[in-house]
Amino acid sequence: MPERRTVALVTLGCARNEVDSEELAGRLAADGWELVEEAADADVAVVNTCGFVEAAKKDSVDALLEANDLKDHGRTQAVVAVGCMAERYGKELAEALPEADGVLGFDDYGDISDRLQTILSGGIHASHTPRDRRKLLPISPAERQGAAEVALPGHAQTGSDEPPAAPPEDLPEGVAPASGPRAPLRRRLGSSPVASVKLASGCDRRCSFCAIPSFRGSFISRRPSDVLGETRWLAGQGVKEIMLVSENNTSYGKDLGDIRLLETLLPELAAVDGVERIRVSYLQPAEMRPGLIDVLTGTDKVAPYFDLSFQHSAPGVLRAMRRFGDTERFLDLLQTIRTKAPEAGARSNFIVGFPGESEADLAELERFITEARLDAIGVFGYSDEDGTEAASYEDKVDPDVVAERLARVSRLAEELTAQRAEERVGETVRVLVDRIDDEDGVVGRAAHQAPETDGVTLLSNGGGLRPGRMVEAKVVASEGVDLVAEVLSVADTACTEEAGR
C-alpha cells in the first residue's frame, strides 16, 4: 500500500487565488495525496500567498511563519509557499524567509506533486527566478491562443493547436474534469454554495500603481466551452452561485476574436441546471458596453451587480494612474445602470494619497462617493509597489497625510454605505443562504452582496433553511451595510416547509 501523504492548502488573497488552490488540490488528489483542512494535520502545508499590497504580503509571511511553527509540535514536516508573492519574489523570498522549505512559482504548478514529494523527502527544489510574465505571450491578443506553452493557473493550456490530451483516468471522487479534457483538475476545498470560475488570466492595462500584470502576465481568455464545462461540474458538486473572476472581465473574448463574448456566454451559464445565480466581478468602467449592461441587468439568474474599478474620480489623479474617466462620466454610467435596474448593486475600491493628489482632488473624490450611492466601498492608502511606474513619481504625499485621508474617506464610506443599505428597507430581494451561524442565525446574501466583501442579509425567520437555498425575502431593517429580511417564499418548492413559515 502506498505511503499516506497528507497536504493542507492555506489560501490568502482574492477569489482568483481560491480557484488556483482548488486546481492545486485537484492535481494533488489525482496523484494520491490526501487533502486535510488543518495545516497541523498535514505532512506538507502549502500557503497560497498574495503579493498585491504590503498588508497582504505581511499576512502571507505571517501565515508561512505560523505554519512553520507547527513543525516543532505537530505532524507538519514541510512548509511551501506558492501563489502571487512566491511568483513575484521567488529566490528573494526564499532567502528572506528560510523558514519556508520551498518557494514555487506558477511554472511549478503542473508538477506540484513531484515538487512537494521532493521537498517532503528532504530534497531541495531551486526557487525560481522571477521574470516579467507580460513578455511570455505575444503582444497581439489575437496571437496568444495556441501560443508557446505558458503556465496559466486555471487554464490548463495546451500551448498548441494540437488536440488536448485526454483527462487522467480513475480520478478520485470529487475531482474535475468531468467537464472536458482542457479543463484544469479541480477539487473543492469547502462546502460553500458559491464558487469562483476563472474567465481569464492576466491584464493588459498598465495602471501606474499596479504590479499585477508583471507577475500574472498578459490577458488571455479561457474558451467559453471550458468555462461552461467547469460551471456544470461545480453545479454537480452542489454549487448554486458562480462568481466569474479575472483581472479584467470586461476584456473577455478580445483574444478570441469577439470582445462581446461575455454577453453571449452569460445567458448560457445562467441556463446551467442547478445554478441559481451568476455574478460577474472585476469590471473596468472605461470598457463597459451598452450590450453588457443590458445582459447584466436583464438576464434571469444573472445578478445585476457591478463591481466597478473606479480607483478615483479626479481627472488629474486618474491620468497619473494611467486610467480614464471623471466624476460626471462615472455618475452617468451608474445612472444608466440604475435606469435599467433600479435595484442593481454597485461597489468599488479607491486609492487615496496617490502621488500629486491635492485637497481639491480629494474633495472631488468625496463628491463622487457621496453622489454615487454605492453599496460597498473599499478605501486604501497609497504606498509604493516594487516595479510600478508610480513608485518613481516625485510628488509623493506625506505618509501622515495619506493616513489622515484614508481615515477621513473611510469614515465617509462607512456612513454612506450604511445609508445605502437603509434605502433598501422595503425591497424584495433574492437571498442565497450561505451559512447557519450560532450568533447571527441564518446568514445569506442578496444579489448586490458578493461573498466576503459586501455585507450579508440576516434572515430573521429562516429557521430550518440550509446553505444553498434561494429564498425571496423582504428587507425590514439594516445594520450598517448588512440587511435584515423576512422570508416570503423558498425558490425550491420542495423545501417550503423548511422556511419556518
Side-chain angles (χ1 to χ4, degrees):
M1 177 177 290
E3 183 181 355
R4 181 172 181 252
R5 302 176 299 175
T6 56
V7 60
L9 286 132
V10 179
T11 306
L12 295 94
C14 65
R16 300 185 295 275
N17 257 18
E18 293 173 4
V19 177
D20 291 351
S21 284
E22 293 199 347
E23 178 187 346
L24 292 173
R27 291 180 182 274
L28 290 166
D31 205 43
W33 289 77
E34 180 181 339
L35 292 149
V36 296
E37 290 187 12
E38 300 296 331
D41 299 327
D43 297 318
V44 183
V46 177
V47 180
N48 192 348
T49 60
C50 178
F52 181 39
V53 294
E54 285 304 317
K57 286 183 276 190
K58 181 182 183 302
D59 289 344
S60 295
V61 170
D62 289 345
L64 287 162
L65 293 173
E66 182 178 342
N68 183 70
D69 289 342
L70 297 173
K71 291 192 288 188
D72 294 330
H73 47 77
R75 177 189 177 99
T76 309
Q77 301 174 52
V79 175
V80 175
V82 299
C84 292
M85 189 176 180
E87 173 64 37
R88 185 176 180 184
Y89 294 105
K91 291 181 177 180
E92 182 181 342
L93 176 62
E95 292 169 359
L97 198 69
E99 291 85 354
D101 299 286
V103 175
L104 306 181
F106 298 150
D107 292 336
D108 292 306
Y109 281 21
D111 299 307
I112 187 67
S113 179
D114 290 342
R115 300 288 186 264
L116 296 191
Q117 185 59 58
T118 295
I119 293 167
L120 183 60
S121 301
I124 297 175
H125 178 71
S127 301
H128 79 108
T129 300
R131 51 183 174 166
D132 189 338
R133 297 190 74 86
R134 290 171 293 190
K135 300 177 180 179
L136 302 182
L137 289 166
I139 294 176
S140 169
E143 297 176 4
R144 291 174 190 166
Q145 296 284 336
E149 187 171 349
V150 174
L152 298 168
H155 285 243
Q157 290 290 116
T158 62
S160 73
D161 294 325
E162 295 296 320
E169 297 181 1
D170 301 322
L171 287 173
E173 184 178 355
V175 175
S179 52
R182 277 197 305 262
L185 292 171
R186 181 169 181 173
R187 185 181 188 275
R188 299 213 68 207
L189 291 173
S191 58
S192 169
V194 60
S196 296
V197 172
K198 277 193 181 181
L199 270 183
S201 288
C203 185
D204 287 342
R205 301 184 72 87
R206 294 295 179 261
C207 301
S208 62
F209 57 83
C210 183
I212 289 176
S214 66
F215 56 86
R216 277 288 183 180
S218 298
F219 184 90
I220 184 165
S221 304
R222 293 181 67 197
R223 293 176 176 86
S225 58
D226 294 346
V227 177
L228 273 165
E230 189 168 346
T231 296
R232 293 188 185 105
W233 179 79
L234 287 165
Q237 298 291 306
V239 171
K240 299 299 181 182
E241 177 176 324
I242 297 294
M243 187 163 73
L244 300 176
V245 300
S246 75
E247 279 72 23
N248 178 9
N249 281 335
T250 35
S251 283
Y252 180 69
K254 72 176 186 178
D255 52 322
L256 294 170
D258 184 0
I259 191 59
R260 295 176 177 81
L261 197 54
L262 185 55
E263 289 95 303
T264 303
L265 179 60
L266 283 172
E268 295 183 63
L269 292 170
V272 171
D273 288 343
V275 171
E276 294 289 342
R277 179 184 288 158
I278 300 292
R279 183 184 304 277
V280 185
S281 59
Y282 306 112
L283 301 170
Q284 287 292 339
E287 297 180 30
M288 290 300 296
R289 307 174 291 276
L292 180 56
I293 294 174
D294 288 343
V295 172
L296 288 170
T297 55
T299 305
D300 185 38
K301 294 189 177 181
V302 173
Y305 175 80
F306 294 81
D307 176 12
L308 294 160
S309 178
F310 289 123
Q311 302 299 343
H312 212 283
S313 73
V317 175
L318 286 167
R319 300 305 174 269
M321 290 179 168
R322 305 294 184 197
R323 298 179 65 83
F324 306 94
D326 55 44
T327 296
E328 298 308 325
R329 275 187 273 186
F330 292 164
L331 291 174
D332 286 347
L333 173 59
L334 291 169
Q335 180 59 38
T336 298
I337 290 167
R338 289 170 175 146
T339 297
K340 295 177 180 296
E343 78 287 359
R347 77 169 322 277
S348 192
N349 293 325
F350 299 92
I351 298 172
V352 298
F354 191 80
E357 181 191 61
S358 65
E359 280 294 331
D361 293 327
L362 190 69
E364 182 70 0
L365 174 60
E366 291 173 318
R367 180 173 80 88
F368 170 66
I369 293 175
T370 300
E371 297 183 27
R373 296 171 57 236
L374 299 172
D375 292 279
I377 298 172
V379 187
F380 300 88
Y382 173 82
S383 62
D384 287 339
E385 278 296 311
D386 299 334
T388 62
E389 180 184 352
S392 67
Y393 289 178
E394 295 182 355
D395 194 10
K396 298 287 172 60
V397 179
D398 183 271
D400 290 339
V401 176
V402 174
E404 185 277 326
R405 291 179 181 180
L406 174 61
R408 170 176 152 187
V409 177
S410 295
R411 287 193 299 268
L412 176 63
E414 183 176 356
E415 176 184 342
L416 292 171
T417 52
Q419 289 177 7
R420 178 66 183 126
E422 189 173 359
E423 290 176 9
R424 290 191 179 275
V425 174
E427 285 187 6
T428 298
V429 293
R430 283 176 60 83
V431 179
L432 178 68
V433 177
D434 268 350
R435 67 183 190 276
I436 311 301
D437 188 276
D438 290 340
E439 181 177 346
D440 296 322
V442 181
V443 181
R445 290 175 297 100
H448 70 281
Q449 296 170 320
E452 308 295 336
T453 58
D454 299 342
V456 298
T457 297
L458 307 175
L459 296 174
S460 60
N461 63 335
L465 287 172
R466 297 195 304 269
R469 297 301 185 202
M470 184 74 79
V471 304
E472 297 283 339
K474 183 176 181 178
V475 180
V476 296
S478 63
E479 299 176 357
V481 296
D482 298 334
L483 304 179
V484 179
E486 295 179 351
V487 176
L488 301 175
S489 63
V490 181
D492 184 351
T493 56
C495 305
T496 301
E497 294 182 0
E498 297 179 10
R501 294 190 297 132

